[in-house]
């Protein structure tokens, strides 16, 4: 049974053209990226747009002059004797003008190509920065939703992959001016030529629009599979997974899964490509038939004397160019509409708004914290989840107190920390800080007063110094502060062994990077919390990858550093949590017991049971 939803039909005609509403905001993005380059590109294209009709007109004049001169008595000395005579003066002028237009067209084309390349680069940079900036302001809940990840993936692809739309739109404008100039010439001779041309090309335009919509529909439906393809490609050939893939022999499974998905993509695209090729051939034949009908009329008019040979050349050339231009223009509009469908992914992402916002008049975060945090009947469940992650949480975290959270997996410990840092807001109850609801503070300022290290911390492919500095990135240039944070976490001895010290690149993603052990990475991550020098310290399983000696050293440092600060510690190791002033035992998202280590061990309950189970493992 397929893991993915049934295919949706491609967007209807109205939906496809409604997507053109994304073109004006896209052009505003282009303007903001580089107004100077955009204006220069428009001027260059306007100049190029008028060259084709001017060149054709000079061609007509040249042919008519040649016909006129050929009827005159030839001078002695052959064809070269005409050079420099008064009769050939206009002819030489027209040829020189046509030559100058050819040179100018080439120069304008090269200059325009350069400007468009630079404009596209500026736009890609600008849109990528905007995407990252917008993503940074969204709620954590969004990033933990698979549907949002699909939307983010599509937006990320469009921010870098659809920027060629700039050139397409500008080319459409240029071609529209050229078409108008050429069509004006045809209208003078016979307006029905324009009607015949458009009637022959409209079916090709509608067909192209239909197949572009089908391609977009396919890409949209298969975003989850595309993400899986990217994941399989990276997983099958990554330094992070190489050991397990070899040990478990996973390569054939990963390759076969990739091949199966990619073959499915190929078959779907092949069906669209074959249909496009078939109907494209038919529509192209209609366009060719229209051209030759017009051509027959031109020949007949020339034979009857209504047109000169120069007129025939001008009209034939204009009609042939118009056929190509109008076909390209209609196709271009179709492609632009298709690209606008993709732009919907980008602008749709920009329309996503966070729900956790700062109040109009945020209170300053207290420094120092005087009373502490108070949970009052707090309940929360993750979006889309059936059950509650935590419910009826009521307890106090006093200012300057070290509180340990203990419980089995899924008890709600990490969720409680996320609520405390306001990465989520409670669905029930409230959390108070010094008598004020957390919603009364600016979330960024509140998090800036906290040092939080989660168990699944990020291993940045940065230098060792920058891996610590991310804890307070604005102090990245403060080498003494970075060294001090490293010393407090015990990471200084790791850095001393690195060939380039704090400048050493870490990880295997980039050249000359050095990989660390899990415990070494963890000490660097803990140094980030010390880098912040904050009011509240939160460590979520900070020593999971450390040996017993390193764990003891970390907690000794943590005990010294948290003196006078409010601290929350999550750990499964009871040798660690016993240093806390108070311990909160969680079960099923609720507070089951609270007290010191000695108080909890002295009475029957989950804490004493878990402590005994862990202690038995060391006997």
């Amino acid at each position: 049974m397929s893991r993915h939803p049934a295919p949706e039909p491609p967007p209807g005609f109205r939906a496809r053209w409604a997507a053109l509403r994304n073109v004006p905001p896209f052009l505003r993005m282009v303007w903001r990226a580089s107004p100077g380059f955009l204006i220069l590109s428009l001027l260059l294209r306007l100049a190029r747009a008028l060259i084709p009709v001017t060149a054709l007109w000079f061609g007509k004049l040249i042919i008519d002059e040649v016909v006129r001169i050929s009827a005159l008595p030839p001078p002695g000395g052959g064809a070269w004797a005409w050079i420099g005579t008064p009769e050939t003066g206009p002819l030489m002028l027209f040829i020189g003008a046509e030559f100058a237009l050819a040179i100018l067209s080439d120069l304008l084309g090269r200059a325009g190509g350069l400007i468009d390349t630079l404009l596209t680069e500026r736009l890609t940079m600008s849109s990528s920065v905007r995407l990252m900036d917008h993503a940074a302001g969204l709620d954590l809940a969004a990033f933990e939703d698979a549907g949002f990840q699909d939307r983010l993936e599509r937006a990320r692809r469009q921010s870098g992959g659809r920027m060629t739309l700039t050139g397409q739109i500008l080319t459409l404008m240029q071609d529209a001016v050229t078409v108008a100039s050429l069509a004006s010439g045809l209208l003078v001779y016979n307006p029905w030529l324009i009607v015949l041309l458009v009637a022959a090309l409209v079916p090709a335009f509608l067909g192209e629009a239909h197949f572009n919509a089908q391609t977009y529909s396919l890409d949209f439906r298969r975003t989850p599979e595309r993400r899986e393809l990217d994941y399989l490609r990276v997983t099958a050939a990554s330094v992070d997974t190489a050991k397990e893939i070899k040990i478990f022999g996973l390569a054939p499974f990963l390759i076969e899964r990739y091949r199966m998905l990619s073959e499915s993509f190929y078959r779907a695209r092949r069906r669209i490509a074959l249909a496009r090729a078939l109907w494209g051939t038919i529509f192209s034949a209609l366009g060719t038939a229209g051209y030759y009908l017009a051509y027959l009329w031109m020949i007949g008019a020339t034979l009857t004397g209504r047109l000169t040979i120069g007129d025939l050349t001008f009209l034939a050339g204009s009609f042939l160019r118009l056929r190509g231009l109008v076909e390209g223009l209609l196709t271009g509009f179709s492609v632009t509409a298709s690209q606008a469908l993709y732009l919907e992914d980008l602008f749709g992402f920009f329309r996503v708004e966070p729900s956790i916002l700062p109040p109009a008049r945020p209170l300053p975060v207290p420094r120092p914290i005087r009373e502490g945090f108070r949970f009052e009947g707090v309940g929360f469940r993750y979006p889309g989840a059936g059950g509650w992650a935590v419910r009826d949480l009521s307890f106090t975290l006093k200012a300057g107190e070290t509180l340990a959270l203990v419980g089995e997996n899924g008890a709600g410990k990490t969720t409680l920390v996320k609520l405390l840092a306001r990465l989520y807001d409670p669905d029930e109850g409230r959390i108070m800080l010094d008598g004020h609801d957390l919603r009364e503070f600016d979330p960024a300022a509140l998090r800036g007063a906290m040092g939080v290290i989660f168990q699944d911390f990020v291993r940045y492919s940065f230098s060792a110094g920058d891996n610590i500095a991310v804890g307070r990135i604005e102090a990245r240039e403060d080498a003494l502060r970075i060294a001090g944070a490293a010393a407090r976490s015990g990471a200084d001895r790791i850095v001393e062994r690195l060939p380039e010290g704090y400048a050493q690149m870490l990880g295997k993603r980039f050249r000359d990077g050095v990989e660390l052990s899990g415990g070494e990475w963890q000490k660097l991550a803990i140094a980030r919390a010390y880098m912040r020098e904050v009011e509240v310290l939160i460590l979520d399983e900070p020593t999971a990858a450390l040996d017993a000696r390193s764990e003891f050293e970390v907690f000794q440092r943590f005990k010294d550093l948290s003196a006078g600060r409010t601290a929350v510690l999550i750990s499964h190791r009871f040798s660690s949590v016993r240093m806390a002033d108070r311990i909160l035992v969680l079960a099923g998202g609720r507070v089951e017991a609270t007290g010191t280590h000695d108080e909890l061990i002295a009475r029957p309950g989950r804490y004493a049971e878990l402590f005994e189970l862990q202690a038995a493992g060391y006997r």
Side-chain angles (χ1 to χ4, degrees):
M1 185 174 180
S2 174
R3 305 183 321 171
H4 301 287
E8 301 173 2
F13 183 82
R14 289 186 179 181
R16 299 199 297 270
W17 290 100
L20 287 172
R21 70 181 182 275
N22 293 313
V23 172
F26 176 75
L27 291 176
R28 287 194 292 271
M29 278 180 57
V30 178
W31 174 262
R32 286 194 297 266
S34 181
F37 280 151
L38 179 58
I39 292 173
L40 187 54
S41 179
L42 288 171
L43 292 176
L44 290 171
R45 288 177 179 278
L46 178 60
R48 288 192 70 199
L50 298 175
I51 286 178
V53 69
T54 308
L56 284 170
W57 183 252
F58 276 118
K60 163 194 154 42
L61 295 176
I62 289 170
I63 290 175
D64 282 343
E65 277 297 301
V66 169
V67 172
R68 183 187 66 82
I69 293 171
S70 66
L72 298 175
W80 292 104
W82 286 108
I83 304 300
T85 63
E87 290 81 359
T88 59
L91 177 61
M92 293 298 104
L93 180 64
F94 297 151
I95 292 174
E98 191 177 61
F99 174 74
L101 281 175
I103 298 297
L104 180 62
S105 177
D106 182 66
L107 290 175
L108 291 175
R110 293 180 184 277
L114 172 63
I115 296 303
D116 287 352
T117 298
L118 297 177
L119 178 58
T120 299
E121 289 293 331
R122 295 291 303 175
L123 180 59
T124 300
M125 291 163 51
S126 175
S127 62
S128 296
V129 168
R130 182 181 173 189
L131 185 143
M132 290 187 290
D133 183 63
H134 187 75
L138 298 180
D139 299 336
L140 178 63
F143 290 92
E144 295 181 343
D145 175 67
F148 173 82
Q149 290 180 37
D150 290 342
R151 172 178 284 184
L152 176 60
E153 174 66 17
R154 290 194 296 269
R156 188 183 291 116
R157 288 180 182 275
Q158 305 327 316
S159 68
R162 297 291 160 190
M163 297 304 102
T164 54
L165 182 59
T166 311
Q168 291 174 4
I169 293 175
L170 296 178
T171 298
L172 282 178
M173 294 178 181
Q174 175 183 328
D175 289 348
V177 174
T178 304
V179 165
S181 64
L182 290 170
S184 61
L186 292 184
L187 286 171
V188 171
Y189 289 94
N190 190 340
W192 286 105
L193 293 175
I194 303 295
V195 176
L196 179 63
L197 178 68
V198 173
L201 294 177
V202 163
F205 162 65
L206 295 177
E208 192 68 22
H210 171 73
F211 290 117
N212 283 335
Q214 282 199 328
T215 301
Y216 169 77
S217 180
L218 174 67
D219 288 343
F220 184 92
R221 291 195 313 267
R222 300 214 166 187
T223 301
E225 294 162 291
R226 186 183 294 279
R227 287 201 300 120
E228 185 176 352
L229 278 173
D230 291 340
Y231 173 75
L232 290 168
R233 183 166 46 240
V234 172
T235 302
S238 169
V239 65
D240 298 326
T241 58
K243 293 191 297 294
E244 284 206 5
I245 287 175
K246 289 183 178 296
I247 291 294
F248 297 134
L250 293 178
F253 165 77
L254 295 172
I255 293 170
E256 180 57 31
R257 177 64 184 162
Y258 180 87
R259 182 182 291 112
M260 182 181 68
L261 284 173
S262 57
E263 282 287 343
S264 175
F265 262 108
Y266 169 75
R267 287 192 296 271
R269 287 191 175 276
R270 183 181 60 185
R271 284 194 298 270
I272 296 175
L274 289 173
R276 185 195 293 265
L278 173 63
W279 286 105
T281 301
I282 296 173
F283 294 145
S284 179
L286 288 175
T288 302
Y291 167 73
Y292 277 95
L293 283 174
Y295 198 33
L296 287 173
W297 176 87
M298 296 174 204
I299 292 172
T302 304
L303 293 174
T304 58
R306 293 177 59 188
L307 299 178
T308 67
I309 298 297
D311 291 335
L312 172 63
T313 306
F314 174 76
L315 284 175
S318 295
F319 197 90
L320 187 60
R321 277 180 173 264
L322 266 175
R323 179 201 170 188
L325 283 170
V326 172
E327 187 175 7
L329 202 60
L330 294 176
T331 302
F333 274 119
S334 173
V335 171
T336 300
S338 173
Q339 296 283 356
L341 283 169
Y342 287 98
L343 282 177
E344 182 65 29
D345 298 326
L346 182 62
F347 291 115
F349 172 76
F350 287 143
R351 288 192 290 269
V352 177
E353 295 293 338
S355 60
I356 300 178
L357 296 168
R361 296 182 178 178
L363 295 175
V365 177
R367 291 178 182 269
I369 295 174
R370 300 187 181 280
E371 299 174 21
F373 296 86
R374 188 170 70 254
F375 282 62
E376 298 179 350
V378 170
F380 172 78
R381 54 183 164 194
Y382 289 98
W388 293 84
V390 294
R391 195 86 188 271
D392 297 327
L393 284 182
S394 296
F395 67 92
T396 299
L397 170 59
K398 301 174 184 176
E401 178 184 34
T402 297
L403 178 69
L405 303 180
V406 173
E408 299 176 72
N409 291 334
K413 304 184 295 297
T414 299
T415 300
L416 188 154
V417 168
K418 290 178 180 178
L419 292 168
L420 189 65
R422 211 183 165 206
L423 296 173
Y424 290 100
D425 278 337
D427 294 317
E428 295 179 346
R430 60 180 183 171
I431 304 172
M432 311 294 286
L433 171 57
D434 281 4
H436 297 279
D437 195 307
L438 286 190
R439 295 180 178 89
E440 298 180 49
F441 301 99
D442 184 334
L446 181 68
R447 295 164 195 155
M450 297 182 176
V452 185
I453 296 297
F454 290 104
Q455 181 178 358
D456 53 348
F457 61 86
V458 179
R459 304 181 182 193
Y460 295 98
S461 292
F462 297 161
S463 68
D466 283 349
N467 261 280
I468 297 172
V470 294
R472 182 72 71 185
I473 197 62
E474 58 269 25
R476 180 172 176 258
E477 303 300 326
D478 191 341
L480 291 177
R481 184 168 180 170
I482 293 173
R488 290 176 179 179
S489 71
D492 54 338
R493 284 171 289 182
I494 298 169
V495 176
E496 288 172 0
R497 296 194 300 268
L498 297 175
E500 297 183 37
Y502 287 97
Q504 177 66 55
M505 181 66 69
L506 299 181
K508 289 296 185 181
R509 183 179 298 271
F510 302 114
R511 187 176 180 180
D512 299 328
V514 173
E515 188 58 83
L516 303 180
S517 68
E520 289 171 331
W521 274 112
Q522 202 148 25
K523 286 186 179 181
L524 285 177
I526 293 170
R528 296 170 192 166
Y530 297 149
M531 182 76 184
R532 294 182 73 80
E533 297 181 358
V534 289
E535 292 289 314
V536 182
L537 281 172
I538 302 174
L539 300 185
D540 181 357
E541 287 291 337
T543 60
L546 301 182
D547 55 45
R549 183 183 297 276
S550 297
E551 178 190 17
F552 177 78
E553 292 173 355
V554 166
F555 278 108
Q556 284 298 111
R557 289 185 172 89
F558 177 71
K559 186 174 183 180
D560 295 338
L561 185 65
S562 61
R565 287 183 171 87
T566 306
V568 176
L569 171 65
I570 300 177
S571 179
H572 285 94
R573 301 186 183 181
F574 290 88
S575 58
S576 306
V577 301
R578 65 189 307 166
M579 61 160 281
D581 300 319
R582 193 158 51 95
I583 299 170
L584 219 63
V585 182
L586 298 177
R590 301 172 187 266
V591 177
E592 187 176 79
T594 182
T596 65
H597 172 77
D598 291 336
E599 291 170 348
L600 291 171
I601 206 70
R603 60 177 184 256
R606 190 180 304 269
Y607 184 87
E609 177 186 347
L610 292 175
F611 178 81
E612 180 58 32
L613 286 173
Q614 192 171 107
Y618 290 97
R619 294 178 187 144

